[in-house]
Amino acid sequence: MTPIINDIEEMRRLGESVRRKGQAICLVPTMGALHDGHLSLVDIARGKADFVVVSIFVNPTQFGPGEDFEKYPRTLEEDARKLESHGVSVIFSPAASMMYPAGYATYVSVEGLTSGLCGRSRPTHFRGVTTVVTKFFTIVRPDYAVFGRKDAQQLAVIRRMNRDLNLGVDIIAAPIVREKDGLAMSSRNRYLNADERAQAPVIHRSLLDARARVENGESNARTIAASVRSNIGTSPLAAIDYIEIVDPEEMTPVSNVSKGALLAVAVRFGNTRLIDNIMLGSDTL
Ligand code: AMP
């Protein structure tokens, strides 16, 4: 069984002893309820470092009021079993009361690129993410940390924070892992009922259609976004939160995609909000 550390000081001491031995540390931050997307990040981490730490922490500060913090799936034992065959050195799973004890008052926030896209409907979300990731970086002091492109805005925000605060962690971006029908894997997919699950692949199909339009010469962002809107609109259960075509580093809208742009969407099916994205006019993010 992969060892689980709950105590912050124990994790810090273990990290120090690993570093003293000259081994590199790679951190994979997660909220648990692990799926093959998470496991692909772990495999990338294994390729980078001898010592892999997977954090499993449902971080209260990144959930807004009325969001799914209470009902977010917590499946630590099952997660530990899934990680068993993936060469993870340790799972770090602190209690929320240890990460945020009474009197906790310090937050890290990245300005600008957190205000659009997911930041519009989740105004305190990224502040929670950057705060907890800073704390994990400080406790574990990893050489590398792996983040999925599934959360493209989060990846851009973490990269900016790492640069701005000179944290010195090598941030590795991992490709999006999908179900066979194209739906991006997510711990929240388990909230979908059968009808919603059947319709959810419309998201990825609409992204692929947009990419095909760009490959056929379309470069006007407004035209592309309108086509995505009408494609997703064919699914009666889908409610669009946003469809944005942005610069992949700044998260600011672009009007023309020919130099490479990120098409990012958030769509609700019932109470479940799903996000996905694709690069247009370029392969990398
Ligand atoms: P979460 O547990 O949802 O906070 O995700 C933890 C990490 O896994 C984040 O870096 C996510 O971007 C990444 N991740 C989640 N789902 C996927 C996926 N389908 N493909 C690739 N990475 C993912």
mmCIF file with all atom_site columns, all heavy atoms in Angstrom, residues 24-28 38-54 86-88 144-146 172 174:
data_model
loop_
_atom_site.group_PDB
_atom_site.id
_atom_site.type_symbol
_atom_site.label_atom_id
_atom_site.label_alt_id
_atom_site.label_comp_id
_atom_site.label_asym_id
_atom_site.label_entity_id
_atom_site.label_seq_id
_atom_site.pdbx_PDB_ins_code
_atom_site.Cartn_x
_atom_site.Cartn_y
_atom_site.Cartn_z
_atom_site.occupancy
_atom_site.B_iso_or_equiv
_atom_site.pdbx_formal_charge
_atom_site.auth_seq_id
_atom_site.auth_comp_id
_atom_site.auth_asym_id
_atom_site.auth_atom_id
_atom_site.pdbx_PDB_model_num
ATOM 1   N N   . ALA A 1 24  ? 15.385 13.913 -6.955  1.00 0.00 ? 24  ALA A N   1
ATOM 2   C CA  . ALA A 1 24  ? 14.431 14.942 -7.385  1.00 0.00 ? 24  ALA A CA  1
ATOM 3   C C   . ALA A 1 24  ? 13.029 14.555 -6.920  1.00 0.00 ? 24  ALA A C   1
ATOM 4   O O   . ALA A 1 24  ? 12.680 13.374 -6.845  1.00 0.00 ? 24  ALA A O   1
ATOM 5   C CB  . ALA A 1 24  ? 14.456 15.071 -8.894  1.00 0.00 ? 24  ALA A CB  1
ATOM 6   N N   . ILE A 1 25  ? 12.230 15.576 -6.605  1.00 0.00 ? 25  ILE A N   1
ATOM 7   C CA  . ILE A 1 25  ? 10.850 15.358 -6.150  1.00 0.00 ? 25  ILE A CA  1
ATOM 8   C C   . ILE A 1 25  ? 9.888  15.933 -7.182  1.00 0.00 ? 25  ILE A C   1
ATOM 9   O O   . ILE A 1 25  ? 10.075 17.066 -7.647  1.00 0.00 ? 25  ILE A O   1
ATOM 10  C CB  . ILE A 1 25  ? 10.591 16.057 -4.794  1.00 0.00 ? 25  ILE A CB  1
ATOM 11  C CG1 . ILE A 1 25  ? 11.562 15.538 -3.725  1.00 0.00 ? 25  ILE A CG1 1
ATOM 12  C CG2 . ILE A 1 25  ? 9.136  15.882 -4.352  1.00 0.00 ? 25  ILE A CG2 1
ATOM 13  C CD1 . ILE A 1 25  ? 11.442 16.244 -2.373  1.00 0.00 ? 25  ILE A CD1 1
ATOM 14  N N   . CYS A 1 26  ? 8.866  15.160 -7.520  1.00 0.00 ? 26  CYS A N   1
ATOM 15  C CA  . CYS A 1 26  ? 7.805  15.681 -8.387  1.00 0.00 ? 26  CYS A CA  1
ATOM 16  C C   . CYS A 1 26  ? 6.472  15.586 -7.641  1.00 0.00 ? 26  CYS A C   1
ATOM 17  O O   . CYS A 1 26  ? 6.141  14.548 -7.074  1.00 0.00 ? 26  CYS A O   1
ATOM 18  C CB  . CYS A 1 26  ? 7.738  14.905 -9.698  1.00 0.00 ? 26  CYS A CB  1
ATOM 19  S SG  . CYS A 1 26  ? 6.559  15.619 -10.865 1.00 0.00 ? 26  CYS A SG  1
ATOM 20  N N   . LEU A 1 27  ? 5.740  16.686 -7.643  1.00 0.00 ? 27  LEU A N   1
ATOM 21  C CA  . LEU A 1 27  ? 4.447  16.759 -6.958  1.00 0.00 ? 27  LEU A CA  1
ATOM 22  C C   . LEU A 1 27  ? 3.308  16.724 -7.979  1.00 0.00 ? 27  LEU A C   1
ATOM 23  O O   . LEU A 1 27  ? 3.374  17.407 -9.011  1.00 0.00 ? 27  LEU A O   1
ATOM 24  C CB  . LEU A 1 27  ? 4.371  18.069 -6.155  1.00 0.00 ? 27  LEU A CB  1
ATOM 25  C CG  . LEU A 1 27  ? 3.016  18.407 -5.530  1.00 0.00 ? 27  LEU A CG  1
ATOM 26  C CD1 . LEU A 1 27  ? 2.657  17.426 -4.412  1.00 0.00 ? 27  LEU A CD1 1
ATOM 27  C CD2 . LEU A 1 27  ? 3.017  19.844 -4.985  1.00 0.00 ? 27  LEU A CD2 1
ATOM 28  N N   . VAL A 1 28  ? 2.285  15.937 -7.674  1.00 0.00 ? 28  VAL A N   1
ATOM 29  C CA  . VAL A 1 28  ? 1.055  15.933 -8.487  1.00 0.00 ? 28  VAL A CA  1
ATOM 30  C C   . VAL A 1 28  ? -0.099 16.322 -7.559  1.00 0.00 ? 28  VAL A C   1
ATOM 31  O O   . VAL A 1 28  ? -0.592 15.495 -6.786  1.00 0.00 ? 28  VAL A O   1
ATOM 32  C CB  . VAL A 1 28  ? 0.790  14.538 -9.106  1.00 0.00 ? 28  VAL A CB  1
ATOM 33  C CG1 . VAL A 1 28  ? -0.455 14.591 -9.992  1.00 0.00 ? 28  VAL A CG1 1
ATOM 34  C CG2 . VAL A 1 28  ? 1.994  14.042 -9.898  1.00 0.00 ? 28  VAL A CG2 1
ATOM 35  N N   . HIS A 1 38  ? -5.834 11.638 -13.890 1.00 0.00 ? 38  HIS A N   1
ATOM 36  C CA  . HIS A 1 38  ? -4.886 11.838 -12.787 1.00 0.00 ? 38  HIS A CA  1
ATOM 37  C C   . HIS A 1 38  ? -3.709 10.862 -12.909 1.00 0.00 ? 38  HIS A C   1
ATOM 38  O O   . HIS A 1 38  ? -2.556 11.230 -12.697 1.00 0.00 ? 38  HIS A O   1
ATOM 39  C CB  . HIS A 1 38  ? -5.569 11.587 -11.441 1.00 0.00 ? 38  HIS A CB  1
ATOM 40  C CG  . HIS A 1 38  ? -6.668 12.545 -11.097 1.00 0.00 ? 38  HIS A CG  1
ATOM 41  N ND1 . HIS A 1 38  ? -7.964 12.143 -10.944 1.00 0.00 ? 38  HIS A ND1 1
ATOM 42  C CD2 . HIS A 1 38  ? -6.658 13.877 -10.839 1.00 0.00 ? 38  HIS A CD2 1
ATOM 43  C CE1 . HIS A 1 38  ? -8.724 13.179 -10.607 1.00 0.00 ? 38  HIS A CE1 1
ATOM 44  N NE2 . HIS A 1 38  ? -7.956 14.253 -10.546 1.00 0.00 ? 38  HIS A NE2 1
ATOM 45  N N   . LEU A 1 39  ? -4.034 9.603  -13.228 1.00 0.00 ? 39  LEU A N   1
ATOM 46  C CA  . LEU A 1 39  ? -2.969 8.587  -13.274 1.00 0.00 ? 39  LEU A CA  1
ATOM 47  C C   . LEU A 1 39  ? -1.964 8.893  -14.380 1.00 0.00 ? 39  LEU A C   1
ATOM 48  O O   . LEU A 1 39  ? -0.774 8.598  -14.247 1.00 0.00 ? 39  LEU A O   1
ATOM 49  C CB  . LEU A 1 39  ? -3.578 7.186  -13.447 1.00 0.00 ? 39  LEU A CB  1
ATOM 50  C CG  . LEU A 1 39  ? -4.473 6.742  -12.274 1.00 0.00 ? 39  LEU A CG  1
ATOM 51  C CD1 . LEU A 1 39  ? -5.087 5.371  -12.547 1.00 0.00 ? 39  LEU A CD1 1
ATOM 52  C CD2 . LEU A 1 39  ? -3.704 6.719  -10.946 1.00 0.00 ? 39  LEU A CD2 1
ATOM 53  N N   . SER A 1 40  ? -2.432 9.525  -15.463 1.00 0.00 ? 40  SER A N   1
ATOM 54  C CA  . SER A 1 40  ? -1.490 9.895  -16.530 1.00 0.00 ? 40  SER A CA  1
ATOM 55  C C   . SER A 1 40  ? -0.513 10.967 -16.027 1.00 0.00 ? 40  SER A C   1
ATOM 56  O O   . SER A 1 40  ? 0.656  10.988 -16.404 1.00 0.00 ? 40  SER A O   1
ATOM 57  C CB  . SER A 1 40  ? -2.246 10.378 -17.779 1.00 0.00 ? 40  SER A CB  1
ATOM 58  O OG  . SER A 1 40  ? -2.724 11.703 -17.588 1.00 0.00 ? 40  SER A OG  1
ATOM 59  N N   . LEU A 1 41  ? -1.000 11.860 -15.161 1.00 0.00 ? 41  LEU A N   1
ATOM 60  C CA  . LEU A 1 41  ? -0.105 12.874 -14.568 1.00 0.00 ? 41  LEU A CA  1
ATOM 61  C C   . LEU A 1 41  ? 0.949  12.195 -13.694 1.00 0.00 ? 41  LEU A C   1
ATOM 62  O O   . LEU A 1 41  ? 2.139  12.572 -13.702 1.00 0.00 ? 41  LEU A O   1
ATOM 63  C CB  . LEU A 1 41  ? -0.903 13.854 -13.700 1.00 0.00 ? 41  LEU A CB  1
ATOM 64  C CG  . LEU A 1 41  ? -1.479 15.120 -14.340 1.00 0.00 ? 41  LEU A CG  1
ATOM 65  C CD1 . LEU A 1 41  ? -2.338 14.852 -15.531 1.00 0.00 ? 41  LEU A CD1 1
ATOM 66  C CD2 . LEU A 1 41  ? -2.225 15.960 -13.309 1.00 0.00 ? 41  LEU A CD2 1
ATOM 67  N N   . VAL A 1 42  ? 0.508  11.186 -12.966 1.00 0.00 ? 42  VAL A N   1
ATOM 68  C CA  . VAL A 1 42  ? 1.432  10.455 -12.085 1.00 0.00 ? 42  VAL A CA  1
ATOM 69  C C   . VAL A 1 42  ? 2.511  9.760  -12.922 1.00 0.00 ? 42  VAL A C   1
ATOM 70  O O   . VAL A 1 42  ? 3.695  9.777  -12.569 1.00 0.00 ? 42  VAL A O   1
ATOM 71  C CB  . VAL A 1 42  ? 0.646  9.435  -11.237 1.00 0.00 ? 42  VAL A CB  1
ATOM 72  C CG1 . VAL A 1 42  ? 1.592  8.522  -10.463 1.00 0.00 ? 42  VAL A CG1 1
ATOM 73  C CG2 . VAL A 1 42  ? -0.302 10.155 -10.284 1.00 0.00 ? 42  VAL A CG2 1
ATOM 74  N N   . ASP A 1 43  ? 2.097  9.178  -14.048 1.00 0.00 ? 43  ASP A N   1
ATOM 75  C CA  . ASP A 1 43  ? 3.081  8.489  -14.898 1.00 0.00 ? 43  ASP A CA  1
ATOM 76  C C   . ASP A 1 43  ? 4.091  9.483  -15.473 1.00 0.00 ? 43  ASP A C   1
ATOM 77  O O   . ASP A 1 43  ? 5.285  9.178  -15.587 1.00 0.00 ? 43  ASP A O   1
ATOM 78  C CB  . ASP A 1 43  ? 2.365  7.720  -16.015 1.00 0.00 ? 43  ASP A CB  1
ATOM 79  C CG  . ASP A 1 43  ? 1.537  6.557  -15.454 1.00 0.00 ? 43  ASP A CG  1
ATOM 80  O OD1 . ASP A 1 43  ? 1.809  6.134  -14.305 1.00 0.00 ? 43  ASP A OD1 1
ATOM 81  O OD2 . ASP A 1 43  ? 0.616  6.082  -16.153 1.00 0.00 ? 43  ASP A OD2 1
ATOM 82  N N   . ILE A 1 44  ? 3.626  10.670 -15.820 1.00 0.00 ? 44  ILE A N   1
ATOM 83  C CA  . ILE A 1 44  ? 4.549  11.712 -16.302 1.00 0.00 ? 44  ILE A CA  1
ATOM 84  C C   . ILE A 1 44  ? 5.506  12.090 -15.166 1.00 0.00 ? 44  ILE A C   1
ATOM 85  O O   . ILE A 1 44  ? 6.714  12.241 -15.368 1.00 0.00 ? 44  ILE A O   1
ATOM 86  C CB  . ILE A 1 44  ? 3.757  12.936 -16.809 1.00 0.00 ? 44  ILE A CB  1
ATOM 87  C CG1 . ILE A 1 44  ? 3.034  12.580 -18.120 1.00 0.00 ? 44  ILE A CG1 1
ATOM 88  C CG2 . ILE A 1 44  ? 4.675  14.147 -17.011 1.00 0.00 ? 44  ILE A CG2 1
ATOM 89  C CD1 . ILE A 1 44  ? 2.045  13.617 -18.603 1.00 0.00 ? 44  ILE A CD1 1
ATOM 90  N N   . ALA A 1 45  ? 4.974  12.200 -13.967 1.00 0.00 ? 45  ALA A N   1
ATOM 91  C CA  . ALA A 1 45  ? 5.806  12.550 -12.799 1.00 0.00 ? 45  ALA A CA  1
ATOM 92  C C   . ALA A 1 45  ? 6.893  11.508 -12.578 1.00 0.00 ? 45  ALA A C   1
ATOM 93  O O   . ALA A 1 45  ? 8.054  11.843 -12.313 1.00 0.00 ? 45  ALA A O   1
ATOM 94  C CB  . ALA A 1 45  ? 4.917  12.670 -11.556 1.00 0.00 ? 45  ALA A CB  1
ATOM 95  N N   . ARG A 1 46  ? 6.534  10.238 -12.713 1.00 0.00 ? 46  ARG A N   1
ATOM 96  C CA  . ARG A 1 46  ? 7.505  9.146  -12.541 1.00 0.00 ? 46  ARG A CA  1
ATOM 97  C C   . ARG A 1 46  ? 8.665  9.269  -13.528 1.00 0.00 ? 46  ARG A C   1
ATOM 98  O O   . ARG A 1 46  ? 9.806  8.938  -13.230 1.00 0.00 ? 46  ARG A O   1
ATOM 99  C CB  . ARG A 1 46  ? 6.828  7.782  -12.744 1.00 0.00 ? 46  ARG A CB  1
ATOM 100 C CG  . ARG A 1 46  ? 6.130  7.238  -11.551 1.00 0.00 ? 46  ARG A CG  1
ATOM 101 C CD  . ARG A 1 46  ? 7.069  6.831  -10.430 1.00 0.00 ? 46  ARG A CD  1
ATOM 102 N NE  . ARG A 1 46  ? 8.039  5.808  -10.790 1.00 0.00 ? 46  ARG A NE  1
ATOM 103 C CZ  . ARG A 1 46  ? 9.208  5.618  -10.174 1.00 0.00 ? 46  ARG A CZ  1
ATOM 104 N NH1 . ARG A 1 46  ? 9.562  6.402  -9.185  1.00 0.00 ? 46  ARG A NH1 1
ATOM 105 N NH2 . ARG A 1 46  ? 10.009 4.650  -10.552 1.00 0.00 ? 46  ARG A NH2 1
ATOM 106 N N   . GLY A 1 47  ? 8.333  9.723  -14.717 1.00 0.00 ? 47  GLY A N   1
ATOM 107 C CA  . GLY A 1 47  ? 9.375  9.902  -15.736 1.00 0.00 ? 47  GLY A CA  1
ATOM 108 C C   . GLY A 1 47  ? 10.302 11.071 -15.439 1.00 0.00 ? 47  GLY A C   1
ATOM 109 O O   . GLY A 1 47  ? 11.366 11.197 -16.046 1.00 0.00 ? 47  GLY A O   1
ATOM 110 N N   . LYS A 1 48  ? 9.907  11.940 -14.520 1.00 0.00 ? 48  LYS A N   1
ATOM 111 C CA  . LYS A 1 48  ? 10.680 13.150 -14.227 1.00 0.00 ? 48  LYS A CA  1
ATOM 112 C C   . LYS A 1 48  ? 11.538 13.015 -12.983 1.00 0.00 ? 48  LYS A C   1
ATOM 113 O O   . LYS A 1 48  ? 12.596 13.617 -12.875 1.00 0.00 ? 48  LYS A O   1
ATOM 114 C CB  . LYS A 1 48  ? 9.709  14.334 -13.985 1.00 0.00 ? 48  LYS A CB  1
ATOM 115 C CG  . LYS A 1 48  ? 9.126  14.903 -15.242 1.00 0.00 ? 48  LYS A CG  1
ATOM 116 C CD  . LYS A 1 48  ? 10.165 15.780 -15.899 1.00 0.00 ? 48  LYS A CD  1
ATOM 117 C CE  . LYS A 1 48  ? 9.731  16.181 -17.288 1.00 0.00 ? 48  LYS A CE  1
ATOM 118 N NZ  . LYS A 1 48  ? 10.841 16.773 -18.045 1.00 0.00 ? 48  LYS A NZ  1
ATOM 119 N N   . ALA A 1 49  ? 11.042 12.275 -11.997 1.00 0.00 ? 49  ALA A N   1
ATOM 120 C CA  . ALA A 1 49  ? 11.696 12.305 -10.681 1.00 0.00 ? 49  ALA A CA  1
ATOM 121 C C   . ALA A 1 49  ? 11.657 10.935 -10.015 1.00 0.00 ? 49  ALA A C   1
ATOM 122 O O   . ALA A 1 49  ? 10.767 10.127 -10.283 1.00 0.00 ? 49  ALA A O   1
ATOM 123 C CB  . ALA A 1 49  ? 11.002 13.332 -9.789  1.00 0.00 ? 49  ALA A CB  1
ATOM 124 N N   . ASP A 1 50  ? 12.616 10.704 -9.132  1.00 0.00 ? 50  ASP A N   1
ATOM 125 C CA  . ASP A 1 50  ? 12.661 9.439  -8.386  1.00 0.00 ? 50  ASP A CA  1
ATOM 126 C C   . ASP A 1 50  ? 11.577 9.398  -7.336  1.00 0.00 ? 50  ASP A C   1
ATOM 127 O O   . ASP A 1 50  ? 11.074 8.341  -6.986  1.00 0.00 ? 50  ASP A O   1
ATOM 128 C CB  . ASP A 1 50  ? 14.008 9.314  -7.644  1.00 0.00 ? 50  ASP A CB  1
ATOM 129 C CG  . ASP A 1 50  ? 15.158 9.598  -8.554  1.00 0.00 ? 50  ASP A CG  1
ATOM 130 O OD1 . ASP A 1 50  ? 15.198 8.963  -9.622  1.00 0.00 ? 50  ASP A OD1 1
ATOM 131 O OD2 . ASP A 1 50  ? 16.003 10.464 -8.228  1.00 0.00 ? 50  ASP A OD2 1
ATOM 132 N N   . PHE A 1 51  ? 11.245 10.567 -6.792  1.00 0.00 ? 51  PHE A N   1
ATOM 133 C CA  . PHE A 1 51  ? 10.336 10.605 -5.652  1.00 0.00 ? 51  PHE A CA  1
ATOM 134 C C   . PHE A 1 51  ? 9.074  11.359 -6.061  1.00 0.00 ? 51  PHE A C   1
ATOM 135 O O   . PHE A 1 51  ? 9.119  12.554 -6.366  1.00 0.00 ? 51  PHE A O   1
ATOM 136 C CB  . PHE A 1 51  ? 11.022 11.296 -4.466  1.00 0.00 ? 51  PHE A CB  1
ATOM 137 C CG  . PHE A 1 51  ? 10.356 11.023 -3.158  1.00 0.00 ? 51  PHE A CG  1
ATOM 138 C CD1 . PHE A 1 51  ? 10.706 9.920  -2.385  1.00 0.00 ? 51  PHE A CD1 1
ATOM 139 C CD2 . PHE A 1 51  ? 9.360  11.869 -2.680  1.00 0.00 ? 51  PHE A CD2 1
ATOM 140 C CE1 . PHE A 1 51  ? 10.082 9.659  -1.170  1.00 0.00 ? 51  PHE A CE1 1
ATOM 141 C CE2 . PHE A 1 51  ? 8.733  11.616 -1.468  1.00 0.00 ? 51  PHE A CE2 1
ATOM 142 C CZ  . PHE A 1 51  ? 9.091  10.508 -0.710  1.00 0.00 ? 51  PHE A CZ  1
ATOM 143 N N   . VAL A 1 52  ? 7.940  10.652 -6.090  1.00 0.00 ? 52  VAL A N   1
ATOM 144 C CA  . VAL A 1 52  ? 6.680  11.257 -6.544  1.00 0.00 ? 52  VAL A CA  1
ATOM 145 C C   . VAL A 1 52  ? 5.716  11.395 -5.359  1.00 0.00 ? 52  VAL A C   1
ATOM 146 O O   . VAL A 1 52  ? 5.415  10.423 -4.677  1.00 0.00 ? 52  VAL A O   1
ATOM 147 C CB  . VAL A 1 52  ? 6.022  10.411 -7.661  1.00 0.00 ? 52  VAL A CB  1
ATOM 148 C CG1 . VAL A 1 52  ? 4.645  10.961 -8.022  1.00 0.00 ? 52  VAL A CG1 1
ATOM 149 C CG2 . VAL A 1 52  ? 6.921  10.374 -8.895  1.00 0.00 ? 52  VAL A CG2 1
ATOM 150 N N   . VAL A 1 53  ? 5.273  12.617 -5.147  1.00 0.00 ? 53  VAL A N   1
ATOM 151 C CA  . VAL A 1 53  ? 4.282  12.900 -4.103  1.00 0.00 ? 53  VAL A CA  1
ATOM 152 C C   . VAL A 1 53  ? 2.954  13.230 -4.795  1.00 0.00 ? 53  VAL A C   1
ATOM 153 O O   . VAL A 1 53  ? 2.908  14.125 -5.640  1.00 0.00 ? 53  VAL A O   1
ATOM 154 C CB  . VAL A 1 53  ? 4.705  14.116 -3.246  1.00 0.00 ? 53  VAL A CB  1
ATOM 155 C CG1 . VAL A 1 53  ? 3.650  14.413 -2.164  1.00 0.00 ? 53  VAL A CG1 1
ATOM 156 C CG2 . VAL A 1 53  ? 6.073  13.887 -2.605  1.00 0.00 ? 53  VAL A CG2 1
ATOM 157 N N   . VAL A 1 54  ? 1.900  12.496 -4.454  1.00 0.00 ? 54  VAL A N   1
ATOM 158 C CA  . VAL A 1 54  ? 0.558  12.852 -4.934  1.00 0.00 ? 54  VAL A CA  1
ATOM 159 C C   . VAL A 1 54  ? -0.186 13.442 -3.747  1.00 0.00 ? 54  VAL A C   1
ATOM 160 O O   . VAL A 1 54  ? -0.346 12.781 -2.717  1.00 0.00 ? 54  VAL A O   1
ATOM 161 C CB  . VAL A 1 54  ? -0.200 11.619 -5.470  1.00 0.00 ? 54  VAL A CB  1
ATOM 162 C CG1 . VAL A 1 54  ? -1.638 11.986 -5.837  1.00 0.00 ? 54  VAL A CG1 1
ATOM 163 C CG2 . VAL A 1 54  ? 0.518  11.041 -6.689  1.00 0.00 ? 54  VAL A CG2 1
ATOM 164 N N   . HIS A 1 86  ? 1.512  2.563  -9.742  1.00 0.00 ? 86  HIS A N   1
ATOM 165 C CA  . HIS A 1 86  ? 2.054  3.678  -10.521 1.00 0.00 ? 86  HIS A CA  1
ATOM 166 C C   . HIS A 1 86  ? 3.319  4.281  -9.914  1.00 0.00 ? 86  HIS A C   1
ATOM 167 O O   . HIS A 1 86  ? 3.736  5.377  -10.298 1.00 0.00 ? 86  HIS A O   1
ATOM 168 C CB  . HIS A 1 86  ? 0.983  4.757  -10.730 1.00 0.00 ? 86  HIS A CB  1
ATOM 169 C CG  . HIS A 1 86  ? -0.098 4.309  -11.667 1.00 0.00 ? 86  HIS A CG  1
ATOM 170 N ND1 . HIS A 1 86  ? -0.102 4.584  -13.025 1.00 0.00 ? 86  HIS A ND1 1
ATOM 171 C CD2 . HIS A 1 86  ? -1.191 3.545  -11.454 1.00 0.00 ? 86  HIS A CD2 1
ATOM 172 C CE1 . HIS A 1 86  ? -1.156 4.035  -13.585 1.00 0.00 ? 86  HIS A CE1 1
ATOM 173 N NE2 . HIS A 1 86  ? -1.839 3.397  -12.653 1.00 0.00 ? 86  HIS A NE2 1
ATOM 174 N N   . GLY A 1 87  ? 3.921  3.560  -8.961  1.00 0.00 ? 87  GLY A N   1
ATOM 175 C CA  . GLY A 1 87  ? 5.230  3.971  -8.448  1.00 0.00 ? 87  GLY A CA  1
ATOM 176 C C   . GLY A 1 87  ? 5.213  5.275  -7.671  1.00 0.00 ? 87  GLY A C   1
ATOM 177 O O   . GLY A 1 87  ? 6.178  6.047  -7.726  1.00 0.00 ? 87  GLY A O   1
ATOM 178 N N   . VAL A 1 88  ? 4.130  5.530  -6.955  1.00 0.00 ? 88  VAL A N   1
ATOM 179 C CA  . VAL A 1 88  ? 4.053  6.752  -6.148  1.00 0.00 ? 88  VAL A CA  1
ATOM 180 C C   . VAL A 1 88  ? 4.785  6.518  -4.823  1.00 0.00 ? 88  VAL A C   1
ATOM 181 O O   . VAL A 1 88  ? 4.607  5.486  -4.175  1.00 0.00 ? 88  VAL A O   1
ATOM 182 C CB  . VAL A 1 88  ? 2.574  7.124  -5.887  1.00 0.00 ? 88  VAL A CB  1
ATOM 183 C CG1 . VAL A 1 88  ? 2.453  8.278  -4.906  1.00 0.00 ? 88  VAL A CG1 1
ATOM 184 C CG2 . VAL A 1 88  ? 1.901  7.465  -7.205  1.00 0.00 ? 88  VAL A CG2 1
ATOM 185 N N   . TYR A 1 144 ? 9.684  19.493 -9.518  1.00 0.00 ? 144 TYR A N   1
ATOM 186 C CA  . TYR A 1 144 ? 8.707  19.501 -10.612 1.00 0.00 ? 144 TYR A CA  1
ATOM 187 C C   . TYR A 1 144 ? 7.296  19.402 -10.027 1.00 0.00 ? 144 TYR A C   1
ATOM 188 O O   . TYR A 1 144 ? 7.107  18.808 -8.967  1.00 0.00 ? 144 TYR A O   1
ATOM 189 C CB  . TYR A 1 144 ? 8.880  18.278 -11.526 1.00 0.00 ? 144 TYR A CB  1
ATOM 190 C CG  . TYR A 1 144 ? 10.257 18.110 -12.101 1.00 0.00 ? 144 TYR A CG  1
ATOM 191 C CD1 . TYR A 1 144 ? 11.215 17.340 -11.446 1.00 0.00 ? 144 TYR A CD1 1
ATOM 192 C CD2 . TYR A 1 144 ? 10.600 18.711 -13.309 1.00 0.00 ? 144 TYR A CD2 1
ATOM 193 C CE1 . TYR A 1 144 ? 12.485 17.175 -11.977 1.00 0.00 ? 144 TYR A CE1 1
ATOM 194 C CE2 . TYR A 1 144 ? 11.863 18.553 -13.851 1.00 0.00 ? 144 TYR A CE2 1
ATOM 195 C CZ  . TYR A 1 144 ? 12.801 17.784 -13.184 1.00 0.00 ? 144 TYR A CZ  1
ATOM 196 O OH  . TYR A 1 144 ? 14.047 17.628 -13.718 1.00 0.00 ? 144 TYR A OH  1
ATOM 197 N N   . ALA A 1 145 ? 6.328  19.939 -10.774 1.00 0.00 ? 145 ALA A N   1
ATOM 198 C CA  . ALA A 1 145 ? 4.924  19.691 -10.428 1.00 0.00 ? 145 ALA A CA  1
ATOM 199 C C   . ALA A 1 145 ? 4.161  19.533 -11.741 1.00 0.00 ? 145 ALA A C   1
ATOM 200 O O   . ALA A 1 145 ? 4.426  20.249 -12.711 1.00 0.00 ? 145 ALA A O   1
ATOM 201 C CB  . ALA A 1 145 ? 4.345  20.838 -9.608  1.00 0.00 ? 145 ALA A CB  1
ATOM 202 N N   . VAL A 1 146 ? 3.238  18.569 -11.778 1.00 0.00 ? 146 VAL A N   1
ATOM 203 C CA  . VAL A 1 146 ? 2.496  18.272 -13.011 1.00 0.00 ? 146 VAL A CA  1
ATOM 204 C C   . VAL A 1 146 ? 1.057  18.754 -12.873 1.00 0.00 ? 146 VAL A C   1
ATOM 205 O O   . VAL A 1 146 ? 0.387  18.467 -11.877 1.00 0.00 ? 146 VAL A O   1
ATOM 206 C CB  . VAL A 1 146 ? 2.496  16.751 -13.318 1.00 0.00 ? 146 VAL A CB  1
ATOM 207 C CG1 . VAL A 1 146 ? 1.893  16.498 -14.692 1.00 0.00 ? 146 VAL A CG1 1
ATOM 208 C CG2 . VAL A 1 146 ? 3.891  16.164 -13.234 1.00 0.00 ? 146 VAL A CG2 1
ATOM 209 N N   . ILE A 1 172 ? 5.130  21.164 -15.277 1.00 0.00 ? 172 ILE A N   1
ATOM 210 C CA  . ILE A 1 172 ? 4.960  20.275 -16.430 1.00 0.00 ? 172 ILE A CA  1
ATOM 211 C C   . ILE A 1 172 ? 3.475  20.234 -16.788 1.00 0.00 ? 172 ILE A C   1
ATOM 212 O O   . ILE A 1 172 ? 2.630  19.999 -15.912 1.00 0.00 ? 172 ILE A O   1
ATOM 213 C CB  . ILE A 1 172 ? 5.393  18.828 -16.090 1.00 0.00 ? 172 ILE A CB  1
ATOM 214 C CG1 . ILE A 1 172 ? 6.716  18.788 -15.321 1.00 0.00 ? 172 ILE A CG1 1
ATOM 215 C CG2 . ILE A 1 172 ? 5.407  17.953 -17.327 1.00 0.00 ? 172 ILE A CG2 1
ATOM 216 C CD1 . ILE A 1 172 ? 7.924  19.086 -16.099 1.00 0.00 ? 172 ILE A CD1 1
ATOM 217 N N   . ALA A 1 174 ? 0.351  18.411 -18.731 1.00 0.00 ? 174 ALA A N   1
ATOM 218 C CA  . ALA A 1 174 ? -0.011 17.071 -19.213 1.00 0.00 ? 174 ALA A CA  1
ATOM 219 C C   . ALA A 1 174 ? -1.230 17.143 -20.136 1.00 0.00 ? 174 ALA A C   1
ATOM 220 O O   . ALA A 1 174 ? -2.157 17.915 -19.877 1.00 0.00 ? 174 ALA A O   1
ATOM 221 C CB  . ALA A 1 174 ? -0.325 16.170 -18.018 1.00 0.00 ? 174 ALA A CB  1
#
